[in-house]
Amino acid sequence: MKPDAAFSSAYSYSGPFQNLTLQPLPYPYEGLEPYIDTTTMKLHHDVHNKAYITNANAALAEAPQAAKSLTLLGLNHNVGTDLFGKPALNTAFQNNAGGAWNHAFFFKCMSPAGSSPSGNAPAQGGALAKAIDAAFGNFTAFKANFSEGATKRFGSGFEWLLVQPDSGNKLVTTSTPNQDNPLQQSAEVKGIPILTLDVWEHAYYLKYNATRPAYIKNWWNVVNWPYVEENYGKATQGVVPVVASS
């Protein structure tokens, strides 16, 4: 598959991906207590997320000049194309540019419990709530669908809620393994992410041990619904969330 010349009409981004740095969390390490513990957030952000950024920058240093002009988003979109030249570099960006984008987005998809004006759901009667009802029947059915996908993801990965601009802005859920995401050309199900859940063990094991379903159930208490609603509005216009600056 050849790389897209300008990402595609369904996606927007700007600015070069160079010297990516670790962005601070949008809340204190303890901000998601009691549902996600402080130690997990420190390790997740300061160790795991930082490693993906470090490795993505190392891969960028070896990449063709055409890749150096891309954003983090553009790098992800070109995973699975011929842009990177070497299969090993494609894999490096799949894992590390993917990991950098996925984690930055995941952290922004959460906020301290009780901070969303609409509570533990999107605003009743709002555009996202209506779209969820249209796609899944009701919010309860959507939560069950999303939670089931996250629970059944074999090994490590992410669960996603997507907007598909090429299908009339249809809402769908999907899961991806490892640090893959629906922005990558190699993804089986593509679309613009508006919500994600990290189900790697490092996201929950210190507090929940092997009980991933308990982690998923409690995670709903810290979903940042205003951010998800903002993402939905932009996604229907073909715009992907901006999660990190260069």
Side-chain angles (χ1 to χ4, degrees):
M1 181 184 294
K2 295 182 178 180
D4 289 357
F7 199 49
S8 95
S9 60
Y11 301 88
S12 299
Y13 67 95
S14 62
F17 174 78
Q18 292 180 5
N19 300 318
L20 185 71
T21 57
L22 184 66
Q23 303 297 306
L25 286 171
Y27 36 75
Y29 293 114
E30 67 274 14
L32 304 181
E33 293 273 11
Y35 304 107
I36 301 179
D37 62 283
T38 303
T39 302
T40 290
M41 289 307 301
K42 286 182 177 179
L43 291 172
H44 203 169
H45 177 265
D46 295 359
V47 178
H48 294 284
N49 189 25
K50 183 178 180 180
Y52 291 119
I53 291 170
T54 298
N55 292 336
N57 281 329
L60 187 67
E62 300 180 21
Q65 190 60 41
K68 296 180 189 293
S69 65
L70 294 176
T71 61
L72 176 58
L73 189 58
L75 288 170
N76 273 277
H77 186 68
N78 279 283
V79 166
T81 73
D82 299 329
L83 179 70
F84 304 119
K86 301 176 182 178
L89 271 179
N90 185 80
T91 300
F93 284 118
Q94 182 176 15
N95 292 335
N96 295 295
W101 197 93
N102 295 353
H103 280 86
F105 182 58
F106 172 61
F107 294 142
K108 293 185 75 171
C109 283
M110 299 182 291
S111 61
S115 62
S116 292
S118 58
N120 291 342
Q124 188 174 4
L128 177 58
K130 290 178 179 179
I132 286 174
D133 288 348
F136 301 98
N138 54 55
F139 182 69
T140 300
F142 157 67
K143 281 183 65 176
N145 177 294
F146 190 99
S147 298
E148 181 180 15
T151 301
K152 291 184 175 180
R153 163 45 55 193
F154 180 77
S156 301
F158 289 76
E159 179 71 11
W160 306 86
L161 177 62
L162 311 177
V163 170
Q164 294 184 315
D166 295 337
S167 299
N169 290 325
K170 180 181 178 181
L171 278 181
V172 299
T173 60
T174 189
S175 71
T176 55
N178 303 316
Q179 295 301 338
D180 296 8
N181 65 52
L183 300 167
Q184 297 172 352
Q185 288 297 314
S186 53
E188 291 184 11
V189 178
K190 298 179 180 66
I192 298 179
I194 65 170
L195 175 66
T196 195
L197 172 58
D198 186 344
V199 293
W200 279 67
E201 286 188 344
H202 64 237
Y204 64 88
Y205 208 85
L206 290 180
K207 183 176 181 66
Y208 295 98
N209 300 131
T211 56
R212 184 190 288 183
Y215 159 67
I216 294 168
K217 180 180 179 180
N218 282 337
W219 172 78
W220 290 105
N221 291 287
V222 294
V223 173
N224 184 356
W225 286 110
Y227 179 64
V228 181
E229 290 174 312
E230 176 187 340
N231 293 340
Y232 174 72
K234 291 180 178 178
T236 60
Q237 302 300 313
V239 179
V240 181
V242 175
V243 298
S245 60
S246 57

